[in-house]
Amino acid sequence: MNRYLLSGFICLFILVSLAGVSIADESPRYVIYVQGGESSIIHGSEGITDIIVKDIIPYAHFSDGKKNLLIPDTLVQSITGPVHAAVVFSGTGGESVSLISISNLSLPYENKVLTLRVNPLGFYEGEALKSFAREKKELDTIEVDTFENTGIYFEIIGTALENNNCLAQEIACLKADDMKACLGECG
């Protein structure tokens, strides 16, 4: 009987250890939503495309699935590629969704024009943008001339926080109990 009991404890220990390792390996994922007005798509060579979105709203919506926060759109400049995103083009003609991989982005503070250098994302295996995968269209089939509004959902995978990274500080503030103390520190 003791031999079976000992084997059971060893199996239980191994099972708990493996479950702990698989949970620790998964990085937290966040979604940052940026809304803008009219947009244009410029197809370049080798599958690289530029998406230019005008009239960016000065705040972005940040969510980790539990809490939500409005952050200044200037913090979007802290996003470094490659980053997966869903772009939703909408207007009176309906909506078109495309999943993309962003290699570079630019958001000059004065212009409020967001420029994304992207590649189409053929297959998406994450969770944060999963709801868009069913509705997606290929980027080269979307006619942007008929759309007045553009929304971009960035999937941010949690990384080690750095002291000089304002986006990382805002993520830390989102997790904090007293978010009022965090707002405006990076502005």
Side-chain angles (χ1 to χ4, degrees):
M1 179 85 172
N2 287 337
R3 188 175 100 183
Y4 295 115
L5 188 60
L6 181 61
S7 296
F9 281 128
I10 290 173
C11 288
L12 181 63
F13 176 75
I14 291 171
L15 184 63
V16 169
S17 297
L18 290 175
V21 169
S22 66
I23 291 171
D25 285 345
E26 190 172 316
S27 298
R29 295 177 189 266
Y30 311 100
V31 175
I32 295 178
Y33 173 70
V34 175
Q35 185 175 348
E38 292 181 9
S39 58
S40 59
I41 298 175
I42 302 168
H43 297 287
S45 61
E46 299 179 20
I48 296 175
T49 302
D50 288 338
I51 299 175
I52 300 168
V53 183
K54 299 177 183 176
D55 301 324
I56 296 295
I57 293 179
Y59 290 96
H61 179 262
F62 181 92
S63 175
D64 68 350
K66 298 174 189 167
K67 294 182 182 178
N68 298 297
L69 179 67
L70 286 178
I71 60 174
D73 68 346
T74 54
L75 294 178
V76 172
Q77 295 172 348
S78 302
I79 298 173
T80 57
V83 174
H84 292 157
V87 181
V88 179
F89 302 98
S90 60
T92 56
E95 278 190 357
S96 291
V97 177
S98 184
L99 292 176
I100 57 174
S101 177
I102 300 170
S103 58
N104 191 10
L105 67 84
S106 170
L107 180 62
Y109 185 73
E110 319 75 52
N111 295 343
K112 295 299 179 194
V113 175
L114 175 64
T115 304
L116 305 170
R117 173 135 306 162
V118 305
N119 291 313
L121 192 59
F123 180 74
Y124 177 73
E125 58 186 35
E127 289 294 320
L129 304 175
K130 193 176 185 177
S131 63
F132 296 105
R134 292 182 296 262
E135 306 170 21
K136 78 173 187 140
K137 292 183 179 179
E138 295 301 321
L139 194 57
D140 58 353
T141 63
I142 296 175
E143 296 178 24
V144 181
D145 295 340
T146 60
F147 300 110
E148 298 93 28
N149 298 309
T150 307
I152 302 107
Y153 295 84
F154 296 94
E155 176 186 43
I156 307 299
I157 299 173
T159 58
L161 299 177
E162 298 176 12
N163 288 337
N164 62 351
N165 185 343
C166 288
L167 182 59
Q169 288 179 17
E170 291 292 337
I171 291 171
C173 290
L174 181 64
K175 293 180 173 231
D177 290 333
D178 184 17
M179 289 191 299
K180 289 180 184 176
C182 297
L183 298 176
E185 289 182 4
C186 286

